[in-house]
Amino acid sequence: MTTDAPSETSAPRRVEVPDVRNGIAFAAAAIVFALIVGTGLVIWAAASLDGGIPGVTAPARDRPNQQDPPAAPRTIQPGENTASTSHQGQAAGHAPEAAQAVPLSRSRPAGGPTEAELARIDFPIDCPGVGAQVKTVLTDPTGPTVVRVECAAGSGSPPAALLAYAAADTGAPRLVATLLDTDEGLLVSDVTRDGDSITAHTLGWSGPDVPRCCPDVEGTLRWRLTPLGAQRI
């Protein structure tokens, strides 16, 4: 008797289904990595364009308790409008540049008046009816002018005066010192100058009985001009 072998029951086939969870995790990781890389590139580019080093320094204006570096010194060229430059500096938030002091030029030399200027003034000596005349003018580039003045008597032996005048920017020359006054009754035969030192050789009389024509006393007087006038030495 033939017995049919029982037919083997075939098991169902398993179909390999991909793990969806792993794919989602991989995709999320890729997106996060891309975001990190993109953010890093953006930060690097921004810092580089603004003068900072990513991760080390940041732009000066973004750092707390920091100020902008001082502006480089600038030389004002001749003829440049310093007023407009200062205004622009204030608008930018910087202190205005200090204006350079310009020395003022004198309207005339530091010395005293010239002989022509002295001829137009009245000298303070008493010469009734005849007036005074200039006999000697001693000028110096750095000091007052010393002038020897006598009465214009024409004859006789009128006494002399030595006066020091300073120049004035406006108006007549100014008397700054009287070295020798006519009240001393001396004649001046010669007067010389060496800078601020004045030397005069004088003639005089030993007494009232000596004739005016014939002075019998000789002498030498010296002065030093000072900022306050003159001092006899």
Side-chain angles (χ1 to χ4, degrees):
M1 180 175 180
T2 305
T3 303
D4 294 334
S7 60
E8 297 180 0
T9 303
S10 59
R13 297 179 61 186
R14 295 183 61 184
V15 179
E16 297 291 336
V17 179
D19 192 346
V20 177
R21 291 174 300 177
N22 292 336
I24 293 175
F26 179 78
I31 293 173
V32 172
F33 179 76
L35 289 175
I36 293 174
V37 172
T39 303
L41 291 175
V42 170
I43 295 175
W44 179 277
S48 298
L49 291 175
D50 208 11
I53 301 176
V56 179
T57 62
R61 64 171 179 272
D62 295 333
R63 294 197 298 269
N65 302 325
Q66 296 291 331
Q67 297 179 352
D68 291 339
R74 178 171 174 272
T75 302
I76 300 177
Q77 299 297 329
E80 184 176 356
N81 190 340
T82 57
S84 62
T85 302
S86 175
H87 179 73
Q88 293 174 0
Q90 292 177 350
H94 299 289
E97 298 181 38
Q100 296 180 354
V102 179
L104 300 177
S105 59
R106 296 178 62 94
S107 59
R108 60 171 300 134
T114 63
E115 186 172 356
E117 292 172 324
L118 291 171
R120 298 193 297 267
I121 66 175
D122 294 328
F123 296 103
I125 63 174
D126 187 16
C127 300
V130 294
Q133 62 179 355
V134 176
K135 303 296 289 185
T136 306
V137 176
L138 301 175
T139 60
D140 187 85
T142 60
T145 296
V146 176
V147 55
R148 176 167 67 109
V149 184
E150 296 178 359
C151 292
S155 61
S157 303
L162 292 177
L163 309 173
Y165 282 88
D169 292 336
T170 59
R174 179 171 54 92
L175 178 66
V176 294
T178 299
L179 286 69
L180 181 67
D181 200 344
T182 54
D183 291 343
E184 297 188 47
L186 296 177
L187 306 179
V188 176
S189 60
D190 183 45
V191 58
T192 58
R193 178 173 188 167
D194 183 11
D196 291 336
S197 299
I198 308 298
T199 301
H201 298 287
T202 62
L203 301 173
W205 297 264
S206 57
D209 297 333
V210 179
R212 295 290 301 176
C213 65
C214 307
D216 58 349
V217 177
E218 295 184 3
T220 300
L221 298 178
R222 294 182 175 85
W223 298 265
R224 184 174 300 279
L225 301 176
T226 68
L228 300 178
Q231 179 182 6
R232 186 175 294 190
I233 56 178

